Amino acid sequence: MKQYMITTENTCDMPYEYYKEHDVEFMYLPCTLDGRVYNKEHDIDQKEFYVRMRSGSMPTTSQVNTEDAKKTWQPILDAGKEILHVSFSSGLSGTYNSCRLAAEELMEKNPEYKIIVIDTLCASMGQGLILQKVLEKKERGSSLDETARWLEEHKLNLCHVFTVDDLMHLHRGGRVSRVSAVLGTMINIKPMLHVDDEGHLLLLSKARGRRKALNNLVDMMEERVGSYRDKNDTIYISHGDCEEDASYVAELVKSRYPSVKSVMLNTIGSTIGAHAGPGTVALFFMGDRR
């Protein structure tokens, strides 16, 4: 059985040390802010990024293109390894399609190559948590095909629930309609959203006040977790430069779910943060339905 390597994108919002520790290569969706392009080699400090957004700067992002994907994969293929690519939701970016096309082109020219590209229909640390699950399968000895099959069968069990302070950021990026954005930014009304089975962002409801919105995240977990209630030993929470709020949600989850032994918190990176904005808090876990 050939060795294989798992690759992904920075949209997992995982610490860079995590990728190094687990031998995961990642592609970077560039972010442009105040006329400067930030990428894998020249990333922006996360604190600075959110300070500038709060000051009125409006970042934009670009998808991974086929040449980016080929450049990332070629050294791995040259080393004789196969590839499983865990890709950002096709409902939010053209990155998955670029990677799929790149894989097809490489395998057509080199029939000995094997690259499986999977649309996770996940985003932020939802993509990160499904990446962790896939890595665990690999580390336990699952083959490339076995791991890919598990990912396809279980990706819709990866639940995303989140709240944002200002839906206009998502509207500017084309992620939600203007009507939803206007309704969601009424005075003291905080929108509750999730990522649906097609990998799109969906506005579900509105909570009155920030604390109520944070509490609602854990209520939304209760509605979705089902048979995974005692199986979620690890959950992830990402945030748009509001760690105190993310920690509050973490404590709520741990108090309600004794099975949760580990909670990873991390700041949402510039690629996702450009659309979600400061003040976003997102909770990720395994459940029976999204």
Side-chain angles (χ1 to χ4, degrees):
M1 184 171 67
K2 263 191 172 184
Q3 286 188 315
Y4 68 99
M5 189 167 176
I6 294 172
T7 62
T8 190
E9 299 105 12
N10 68 312
T11 46
C12 288
D13 285 335
M14 300 293 281
Y16 285 179
E17 295 77 19
Y18 180 91
Y19 301 120
K20 291 178 184 177
E21 180 184 346
H22 294 277
D23 194 27
V24 173
E25 189 58 70
F26 68 95
M27 304 170 196
Y28 193 110
L29 281 70
C31 174
T32 302
L33 181 64
D34 297 330
R36 179 172 177 181
V37 178
Y38 295 92
N39 53 32
K40 190 173 181 178
E41 291 72 32
H42 304 285
D43 203 355
I44 186 171
D45 176 78
Q46 291 173 335
K47 283 284 185 187
E48 179 189 349
F49 174 77
Y50 285 105
V51 165
R52 286 161 69 176
M53 278 198 81
R54 288 186 175 107
S55 299
S57 294
M58 294 186 184
T60 58
T61 60
S62 306
Q63 68 187 51
V64 167
N65 61 45
T66 55
E67 292 309 310
D68 295 329
K70 291 177 185 178
K71 191 181 297 184
T72 299
W73 289 334
Q74 196 61 60
I76 301 168
L77 297 165
D78 289 344
K81 296 180 180 179
E82 298 174 338
I83 293 168
L84 173 60
H85 185 73
V86 179
S87 193
F88 184 34
S89 173
S90 63
L92 298 172
S93 171
T95 292
Y96 161 71
N97 196 48
S98 293
C99 292
R100 180 185 61 79
L101 291 172
E104 288 176 0
E105 290 171 15
L106 284 167
M107 290 188 289
E108 186 175 338
K109 291 180 181 177
N110 303 273
E112 72 277 15
Y113 290 170
K114 184 170 183 178
I115 307 166
I116 298 178
V117 180
I118 294 185
D119 178 6
T120 65
L121 302 170
C122 294
S124 190
M125 290 182 80
Q127 186 182 354
L129 183 52
I130 204 76
L131 171 68
Q132 177 189 313
K133 302 293 184 185
V134 168
L135 285 166
E136 288 172 355
K137 296 288 289 183
K138 178 176 183 284
E139 288 160 7
R140 286 196 294 264
S142 293
S143 68
L144 171 60
D145 288 329
E146 288 169 339
T147 304
R149 185 162 53 250
W150 183 92
L151 177 52
E152 282 287 11
E153 290 172 354
H154 292 279
K155 63 188 183 184
L156 294 182
N157 295 120
L158 202 299
C159 303
H160 310 54
V161 293
F162 65 107
T163 185
V164 298
D165 253 359
D166 182 358
L167 267 174
M168 294 309 294
H169 295 295
L170 290 172
H171 167 62
R172 279 192 290 270
R175 268 59 182 186
V176 299
S177 71
R178 180 169 180 79
V179 171
S180 293
V182 170
L183 289 174
T185 50
M186 292 167 59
I187 295 174
N188 208 32
I189 296 295
K190 301 302 178 186
M192 309 302 302
L193 305 97
H194 84 139
V195 174
D196 67 13
D197 287 355
E198 285 74 48
H200 299 116
L201 301 185
L202 185 65
L203 177 62
L204 293 178
S205 61
K206 300 182 286 292
R208 189 167 295 279
R210 177 69 165 180
R211 185 53 59 96
K212 178 65 173 174
L214 298 176
N215 291 337
N216 278 5
L217 291 176
V218 188
D219 292 337
M220 292 166 77
M221 179 175 177
E222 184 75 27
E223 293 166 1
R224 290 161 171 75
V225 71
S227 64
Y228 284 85
R229 168 172 292 280
D230 298 321
K231 300 175 187 175
N232 275 298
D233 57 343
T234 300
I235 64 162
Y236 284 1
I237 300 174
S238 61
H239 62 90
D241 193 34
C242 52
E243 186 171 355
E244 187 175 329
D245 287 345
S247 296
Y248 172 78
V249 174
E251 291 306 313
L252 281 181
V253 171
K254 287 190 285 187
S255 69
R256 195 179 295 189
Y257 296 94
S259 64
V260 175
K261 306 301 181 187
S262 172
V263 181
M264 182 185 285
L265 273 63
N266 201 38
T267 305
I268 297 170
S270 58
T271 304
I272 300 290
H275 303 285
T280 299
V281 178
L283 171 62
F284 308 99
F285 55 92
M286 299 295 284
D288 282 347
R289 66 179 184 87
R290 286 195 170 186

